[in-house]
Each structure stands twice: as structure tokens, then as C-alpha cells.
Amino acid sequence: QVRLVESGGGLVQAGGSLSLSCRMIGRTATNYIMSWFRQAPGKEREFVAAITRGDEIIDYVDSVKGRFTISRDGANNGVFLQMNSLQPEDTAVYCCAANWGFKTRAAAEYDYWGQGTQVTVSS
């Protein structure tokens, strides 16, 4: 059974930082395009960041460029999302996802999803 397990969410003040982790169980994460999505209350799920196989391409939504960094976690077969300069509008449930196909921001193209971890940024 393939699972994605996120950790690292929490409550932080505006301007602070959090680091999210996603561990893939049952498959080798480096064989997949790994991405982070987020969903705020009352809003649609939004693509945040992706890293391709071989780390050739890293993609970010404009709103997080320069603040968030996605990277591979080789030790735990997963990915990290380092989030700096957090703002209240970053408040959401953050989910890790894995895609066997091509790089895409479309959630429907992803094969596996984690349950998500809550990130809350207070003003």
C-alpha cells in the first residue's frame, strides 16, 4: 500500500518559518514528481511547489517564490517544504502528492496524496 505522510505543520506568527516533511511509503519517491498543494478554508486546492525526477525542474506558484523551497529528503524517501517569511494568507492545510507522469500543476494528474498538515499563520 502506497502512503504519503506529512509532518511539521503548526502555528507560527507572521514572518516566521516552518519546515514540512513528506515521507513516501511503499514506493521510491525519486521515481515520482513530488509536489505540495494547499487548501485554505472556503478556497480551492492550490498548487504550491513541485520537484521533478532527478531534481531537474523545480516549480513554484508565484505567491511563494523566494519564500518557499522544495527539496528531496533522501534519508526518509520524501520531500521537504521549507517555508520562510510566512504570512496569514499562507494559512491552509498542506498536502504532499506524487505523480508518476509528467510535471503538472493539475491536482487531478497526481496518483497519491497525503492526509495533509495544518499550517496556521497569525498576524
Side-chain angles (χ1 to χ4, degrees), residues 2 4 24-35 51-56 72-74 76-79 97-103 109-112:
V2 181
L4 297 175
M24 190 172 201
I25 300 169
R27 292 287 188 274
T28 301
T30 51
N31 290 336
Y32 289 80
I33 297 164
M34 301 295 292
S35 295
I51 187 167
T52 59
R53 300 179 196 86
D55 305 351
E56 292 179 350
R72 295 275 181 180
D73 178 7
N76 290 298
N77 191 38
V79 290
N99 174 20
W100 177 253
F102 297 98
K103 185 185 79 70
E109 298 297 324
Y110 283 77
D111 303 295
Y112 304 109

Side-chain angles (χ1 to χ4, degrees), residues 2 25 27 35 39 46 48 51 54 58 83 89 96 102-103 121 123:
V2 181
I25 300 169
R27 292 287 188 274
S35 295
Q39 188 166 18
E46 176 188 34
V48 176
I51 187 167
I58 294 177
M83 305 185 294
E89 53 266 34
C96 175
F102 297 98
K103 185 185 79 70
V121 185
S123 57

